[in-house]
Amino acid sequence: MSWRTTALMREAWLNVTSNRWRTAGAVLALGAILGSLAALELRDANELRNFQANFVRSGGYVALGLPPAGGSADAARCEAMNGQPGVVAAGSVIRPTPTTFETAPGILYQRAAVTWGVLRVWDPANRAAANDSRQIVIGRVMAGETGLRPGSFVTPRGEGPILVTAIVDTTRRNPTAARWALDPVPPTGSVDECWVEFVPGAFEAGLASLPAQLTTGDKEAVARPYIRRDEFTRDPAAEFVARPQRNGWPLAGSLMAGLFALMAWFRRSELGLYLAIGTPRSLLMAMLAVEALLVVALATVLAVAYAVAIDEALHHTPRWSGTWIVVRTVGSAALLTLTAAPLLAVLVVRGSIANLLKDR
Amino acid sequence: MSLELRNVTHRYRRESAPVLRDLSFVFPADRSIAVVGPSGSGKTTLLAVIGLLTRPTEGDVLIDSEVVKEREVADLRTRLFAWVFQTVNVLGARTVTDNAMLVLLARGVAQVEAREAARDALVTVGLGALASRTASSLSGGELQRLCIASALASRPRFLLADEPTGQLDRATTDRVTQALIEGRPRGTTLIVVTHDPHVASQCDLTVALQDGQLAIGGETT
Ligand SMILES: Nc1ncnc2c1ncn2[C@@H]1O[C@H](COP(=O)(O)OP(=O)(O)OP(=O)(O)O)[C@@H](O)[C@H]1O
Ligand SMILES: [Mg+2]
């Protein structure tokens, strides 16, 4: 004959609700710990996400196709890669040549014949879409230096004035071209460079097949990543080992364990009473588990609110991935607490019941 | 139900002198027994051994002539014993009624029944009016009465009371002693540790604990 289940549940409920301050303190402390953990995870996830975005923006998935020494690579084939699966944009630089513009006398700027496709690779935001040989596009740095704007005219030495239709910002993906004047031309003949941006998953395969795509003669074209990947890629496994949570979790775990051990310590006479009236240690643990469940449930709500507030203020993680990270972190920590709390309490109240009763 | 100690020796540390020394005694069933003895003589220790809270270093506790085994202890504690601890242990944040119900609930008695028994016992000790107060708000004497009510409500076979009237005035002591001795349910053996000769004199039997041994009819201190 021992506790009925409902009576034991009620006991746990009343212990939690009647010790209002103790419960509030535990909820606050636990909520802060769980929330910090989640915030830490969010920060880490964000850092990775930002890195990824930055990597893409810097041309991490851009491949360069080059003609073989003494051979050629076909501009039409390069342009034709637009619209192929896994290809974001493709285009060629056909012929860069130094030119002096009357508009900026004495200063030597590069003038290059390019296809519209390459402008899209260099400046994904650039949607200037006209194709007229009487038009020119100016790199942003050159525009800054010369004061040229869309609607201005430039006059290359020995030619008539040409309308500037757009300023392209190539500083991220091809800083050199930012000081170029770019003549959009149709893709004909051999290229100097064929620029192809792939979607992230298609990059490796795309890079491997690029030479074959461009080769026309008997000499095979070459291809290489625009960014040297060995220097710029990240290794998720190594990062998992090195991440800050590696220290955060044990710290949070010790704090939570300490919290629950301390709570049990201050209740030893109370827990001793339960044991003295013959409550088996297993049932005492069950009761404490229910008490912990209530505290953890409240703390979880607090922790989620706390983590979300921090994230809103600092990172703005996309809603769904952020929610998932918070739920996953807080959830697993809460589960851990739920199992650890009753175990710790029973450890605290091991030994002589008579001694526990004397402690007040 | 009879309770017997057989060759019980208890020491708190291996090298220290024993608090109880080769003590054998049969507590007669259904009687009220006062245990007297100077402070530090081991009265609380004796009660803890009888009530299966402390396992003696040597010797056995027998209930109905059966040696109590370790694995039965928790169950026997619930079914047979009730306590009034010297340290008046209560659940401070809980109500007086909740505290008085505790032993019955631990025994698996239904909520309603337990509540009724607790109410009756609280009235018996004069705490009827304080039933819904929190235990921590009671005075020392009221706490002692709450513990007595809690013990009475559970109708134990063995009621072990350690200085239950230590903080009570004469009138309340009489009332509480009466509740304990005469008000205890039939078939309850009462073992009460007391310094109060008046309380001891109302019991069927007085035993004195001295030098780790029990002697019948000792002087109260
Ligand atoms: N947990 C313990 N560890 C070590 N010694 C203890 C422990 N509990 C009690 N003692 C010692 O055992 C002896 C008997 O203690 P006990 O509490 O049984 O005395 P008592 O007769 O109840 O005294 P009082 O009348 O003051 O309550 C005392 O000398 C005490 O110091
Ligand atoms: Mg004592």
Side-chain angles (χ1 to χ4, degrees):
Chain A
M1 272 303 229
S2 197
W3 289 88
R4 294 180 180 206
T5 311
T6 48
L8 200 67
M9 299 289 135
R10 179 177 172 275
E11 200 64 19
W13 168 256
L14 288 174
N15 278 339
V16 168
T17 49
S18 60
N19 287 284
R20 235 168 279 147
W21 292 110
R22 187 179 75 198
T23 303
V27 166
L28 275 178
L30 194 61
I33 299 170
L34 295 181
S36 307
L37 262 186
L40 206 62
E41 291 284 355
L42 277 176
R43 192 199 66 170
D44 204 49
N46 261 292
E47 205 180 88
L48 199 66
R49 189 173 58 91
N50 287 342
F51 175 87
Q52 191 67 16
N54 224 356
F55 188 66
V56 171
R57 236 177 292 137
S58 311
Y61 298 107
V62 171
L64 269 183
L66 306 165
S72 67
D74 190 39
R77 284 170 167 240
C78 179
E79 203 72 12
M81 290 182 71
N82 280 300
Q84 281 185 14
V87 174
V88 176
S92 350
V93 179
I94 293 181
R95 185 170 28 86
T97 45
T99 316
T100 303
F101 292 90
E102 300 294 353
T103 336
I107 303 173
L108 201 65
Y109 287 102
Q110 194 89 339
R111 184 175 174 193
V114 297
T115 65
W116 278 106
V118 85
L119 293 182
R120 285 182 50 225
V121 176
W122 286 347
D123 181 3
N126 178 50
R127 293 287 174 268
N131 198 351
D132 181 335
S133 59
R134 300 289 310 150
Q135 295 181 343
I136 201 163
V137 171
I138 303 288
R140 205 176 100 176
V141 174
M142 179 179 172
E145 287 168 356
T146 57
L148 291 168
R149 291 188 313 253
S152 314
F153 285 87
V154 282
T155 316
R157 174 153 297 170
E159 290 180 45
I162 307 175
L163 176 68
V164 173
T165 45
I167 309 293
V168 290
D169 186 358
T170 68
T171 41
R172 282 203 82 98
R173 291 191 169 181
N174 188 0
T176 332
R179 300 189 77 251
W180 288 5
L182 304 160
D183 284 321
V185 296
T188 48
S190 177
V191 300
D192 268 31
E193 297 162 355
C194 171
W195 292 64
V196 186
E197 178 171 16
F198 295 96
V199 295
F203 179 76
E204 301 297 337
L207 180 66
S209 66
L210 187 55
Q213 295 249 17
L214 298 180
T215 301
T216 44
D218 15 308
K219 289 181 181 160
E220 173 137 280
V222 269
R224 62 171 176 83
Y226 171 57
I227 288 184
R228 283 195 51 192
R229 305 183 69 77
D230 49 349
E231 284 172 18
F232 286 92
T233 44
R234 295 177 70 156
D235 177 356
E239 279 180 29
F240 187 79
V241 174
R243 72 208 183 119
Q245 292 87 305
R246 200 179 55 139
N247 300 322
W249 274 91
L251 179 69
S254 326
L255 280 175
M256 289 190 291
L259 178 71
F260 277 93
L262 202 69
M263 276 171 59
W265 180 253
F266 282 115
R267 291 176 71 186
R268 17 198 225 298
S269 110
E270 207 172 282
L271 301 179
L273 180 59
Y274 280 109
L275 292 173
I277 63 172
T279 310
R281 276 170 202 266
S282 57
L283 284 190
L284 185 67
M285 259 176 88
M287 184 186 84
L288 292 170
V290 176
E291 289 187 24
L293 180 67
L294 295 170
V295 169
V296 165
L298 288 173
T300 303
V301 173
L302 194 72
V304 169
Y306 175 70
V308 167
I310 286 189
D311 188 57
E312 284 292 313
L314 299 181
H315 315 297
H316 306 291
T317 316
R319 177 82 18 108
W320 281 111
S321 66
T323 308
W324 170 233
I325 291 166
V326 169
V327 166
R328 197 182 54 198
T329 313
V330 171
S332 49
L335 267 179
L336 203 71
T337 315
L338 216 52
T339 42
L343 281 173
L344 282 165
V346 165
L347 272 184
V348 166
V349 300
R350 77 190 185 289
S352 157
I353 298 170
N355 279 352
L356 289 174
L357 291 167
K358 268 190 235 166
D359 294 319
R360 336 212 70 229
Chain B
M1 254 184 176
S2 74
L3 192 146
E4 182 182 351
L5 300 183
R6 191 175 285 173
N7 304 110
V8 166
T9 297
H10 189 71
R11 55 185 97 219
Y12 281 101
R13 265 176 226 92
R14 197 171 301 191
E15 67 279 9
S16 63
V19 179
L20 307 176
R21 186 184 310 149
D22 197 23
L23 187 156
S24 295
F25 196 83
V26 180
F27 294 86
D30 308 345
R31 298 302 186 79
S32 55
I33 301 137
V35 177
V36 298
S39 177
S41 57
K43 303 183 296 297
T44 299
T45 309
L46 176 70
L47 276 199
V49 169
I50 294 172
L52 309 178
L53 291 186
T54 298
R55 209 161 115 96
T57 326
E58 288 163 39
D60 293 310
V61 181
L62 291 82
I63 290 173
D64 276 345
S65 312
E66 297 267 345
V67 174
V68 172
K69 293 176 203 69
E70 188 57 30
R71 61 183 160 74
E72 317 168 311
V73 159
D75 182 51
L76 288 175
R77 276 205 291 263
T78 319
R79 281 199 293 122
L80 305 182
F81 290 91
W83 285 91
V84 179
F85 294 106
Q86 191 171 14
T87 43
V88 284
N89 293 73
V90 291
L91 305 176
R94 305 281 301 277
T95 65
V96 167
T97 310
D98 278 352
N99 273 283
M101 288 162 69
L102 206 61
V103 185
L104 286 167
L105 292 180
R107 205 184 280 170
V109 173
Q111 197 81 230
V112 190
E113 260 173 76
R115 188 176 296 276
E116 220 161 85
R119 281 267 156 74
D120 291 347
L122 286 172
V123 170
T124 309
V125 299
L127 287 183
L130 305 183
S132 51
R133 285 257 295 270
T134 54
S136 58
S137 72
L138 298 187
S139 73
E142 285 166 345
L143 273 181
Q144 277 192 325
R145 285 192 273 157
L146 166 57
C147 293
I148 291 165
S150 165
L152 287 174
S154 71
R155 308 179 144 266
R157 281 309 170 83
F158 302 101
L159 203 169
L160 310 180
D162 200 347
E163 302 285 359
T165 59
Q167 298 193 42
L168 305 181
D169 58 28
R170 183 81 274 154
T172 320
T173 298
D174 284 345
R175 182 164 170 196
V176 159
T177 312
Q178 188 163 353
L180 267 179
I181 297 174
E182 276 143 43
R184 74 184 199 275
R186 291 174 140 272
T188 297
T189 306
L190 171 69
I191 302 175
V192 53
V193 168
T194 185
H195 285 294
D196 188 340
H198 189 66
V199 173
S201 69
Q202 293 180 55
C203 292
D204 300 333
L205 180 71
T206 301
V207 292
L209 183 60
Q210 203 133 30
D211 303 326
Q213 295 273 340
L214 273 181
I216 292 183
E219 287 300 304
T220 49
T221 50

